[in-house]
Amino acid sequence: MKLELGYFHVRDIVFGEKTFFANGVLTINKEEALNTVFEDENITSADLFLAKKGDPIRITPVKDAVEPRCKVSGGVMFPGVTNKLMQAGQGRTHVLKGSCVLAVGKHWGGFQDGLIDMSGPGANQTMFSELLNICLVADTSEEFEKKQQQKKNKALRWAAMRLAEYLGNCVKDLEPEELEVCEHLPLDKRSEEVNKLPRVVYVLQLQSQMLENGYNALVYGWDSNRMVPTLMNPNELLDGAIVSGSFMPSSSKISTYQHVNNATLKRLMEEHGKAINFIGVIMSNLNVQLEEKQRSAYFVRQLATSLGAEGAIVSEEGYGNPDSDFILVINELEDAGIKVVGITNECTGRDGKSQPLVDLSDKANAIVSTGNVSQFIQLPPMEIVIGELESLARDGNSGGWEGSVLEDGSIKMENNGMFCADSSTGNHYKTVVEY
């Protein structure tokens, strides 16, 4: 499977009379862009705002992030979701690199929504402070969701995908500045030299604990709660086969943007043929009942051993109950003689001294921590708020509480509510320091 990713490096974004890209500047016709948003009759109001690195801007409640892209050949964007079901991971896709569409609530936030600061100490918590963000701030007529702590956020998330594709289409017929070719050959087509290298598999555990449709991560539009672990070509992930859900506390979420820019996956592909023989991705899920967790762990083990894996990276989206899925998979792989490195965040309390994971094992002896969800954060006031600051405390954001927002606009919160602050794909620049 061969995928070409054509990059157009965005250095600035402005509003103008038409949507086009030239000389590193993305110009957006706001009215035309919003027409794609209002294709959903549930959206009652919407506007676009720009947020750039270093701006005195705070954004909340953030629901998802999507990279502006378009499919040039070999498929469609977001197959099975906003477009018809087709194979992802082949042909050519053009990318407006450095830009990002953020789905932001005009009023109503919830447990799964987060906060981004574009400057100040909060900017160090999330990679999205480094990007040029097009903030889609919208409200809907979905009364049943407004006072629900747990929201599907479908109208806004789908609108962000449509908007991202609309923006991406402005470079569809242009020649990219940079072309990355991703080719993942079948095992029997690889050279003898590659097949002599250690075989490594990437196990990605998607958040999928909600039994009702509409909350979980989607695989080709299919609710990941309804799937069993499946072998996927890495190109499929890099080409939009996975769409983020709306369930996890915000810091632990893997956004749709991060799925197509999965830094761990990209590094594995980079090392393929040099240090490792990268077999592929075992797409797994996170369950509720113990029997379901064990079943998925067995499936992961069977796939990994059948492929002859000698090493594995197991990456967990979330924490708490999913820790048991994470440890079960590590135990099964280690019992099969496969060496495992785990990637997860931890919940060690504000003092950092509590048990990091709900479930532990002596076999899980190589774990990369992406951060502590309970880290206490104090943020100064910000000149501009995009969205609604009150939602942090009022609507049950997982990092906020009554009293989180002070009269001067400063904030007391936990890392839990920082958007994708410690997601497990490696798309951040935190450093672990041992004292």
Side-chain angles (χ1 to χ4, degrees), residues 212-231:
E212 183 183 342
N213 279 323
Y215 295 98
N216 298 314
L218 300 176
V219 181
Y220 282 105
W222 186 256
D223 191 310
S224 51
N225 179 268
R226 273 82 176 157
M227 64 179 283
V228 294
T230 303
L231 181 67

Side-chain angles (χ1 to χ4, degrees), residues 8-79:
F8 300 80
H9 296 283
V10 183
R11 297 169 182 83
D12 197 11
I13 303 178
V14 297
F15 291 120
E17 293 184 359
K18 67 176 184 176
T19 298
F20 69 100
F21 178 80
N23 301 316
V25 179
L26 172 62
T27 302
I28 302 172
N29 179 315
K30 183 187 285 191
E31 182 180 356
E32 191 173 280
L34 286 172
N35 286 339
T36 68
V37 173
F38 285 113
E39 288 175 14
D40 186 337
E41 61 183 15
N42 288 313
I43 295 180
T44 55
S45 65
D47 203 351
L48 301 180
F49 301 89
L50 302 178
K52 307 173 186 180
K53 181 179 178 180
D55 285 349
I57 290 177
R58 177 163 291 153
I59 313 166
T60 192
V62 183
K63 301 173 181 299
D64 197 8
V66 187
E67 185 169 54
R69 293 174 161 218
C70 72
K71 200 68 188 173
V72 177
S73 65
V76 297
M77 291 305 305
F78 313 113

Side-chain angles (χ1 to χ4, degrees), residues 229-360:
T230 303
L231 181 67
M232 294 185 68
N233 190 299
N235 285 2
E236 295 177 275
L237 277 71
L238 298 178
D239 201 30
I242 312 297
V243 169
S244 177
S246 185
F247 170 67
M248 271 312 298
S250 187
S251 71
S252 306
K253 186 195 298 285
I254 301 175
S255 66
T256 300
Y257 180 101
Q258 288 165 305
H259 279 301
V260 295
N261 289 285
N262 187 314
T264 301
L265 178 61
K266 285 204 162 191
R267 183 59 185 273
L268 286 167
M269 296 178 75
E270 183 182 326
E271 294 297 326
H272 175 69
K274 300 175 184 176
I276 63 170
N277 181 2
F278 180 35
I279 300 171
V281 180
I282 297 177
M283 187 60 62
S284 189
N285 51 12
L286 298 164
N287 303 286
V288 177
Q289 296 182 12
L290 183 58
E291 184 178 278
E292 295 170 344
K293 296 173 185 289
Q294 189 66 67
R295 183 184 296 112
S296 283
Y298 287 152
F299 265 95
V300 171
R301 175 175 175 164
Q302 181 274 124
L303 283 168
T305 54
S306 296
L307 293 164
E310 299 166 78
I313 292 177
V314 178
S315 181
E316 172 193 10
E317 182 181 13
Y319 68 94
N321 183 288
D323 293 344
S324 56
D325 302 73
F326 180 65
I327 294 298
L328 277 169
V329 167
I330 291 175
N331 284 342
E332 289 295 333
L333 293 177
E334 287 281 346
D335 286 345
I338 299 170
K339 297 298 182 183
V340 179
V341 172
I343 305 178
T344 183
N345 58 7
E346 52 189 304
C347 186
T348 57
R350 291 185 184 178
D351 60 2
K353 297 179 180 179
S354 298
Q355 179 172 309
L357 303 177
V358 168
D359 197 5
L360 297 172

Side-chain angles (χ1 to χ4, degrees), residues 414-425:
E414 289 186 347
N415 176 51
N416 238 328
M418 300 297 299
F419 186 71
C420 299
D422 46 60
S423 55
S424 60
T425 56

Side-chain angles (χ1 to χ4, degrees), residues 13 32 70 81 96 103 138 146 186 199 259 365:
I13 303 178
E32 191 173 280
C70 72
V81 184
L96 286 166
K146 288 186 177 179
R199 293 189 170 201
H259 279 301
N365 56 12

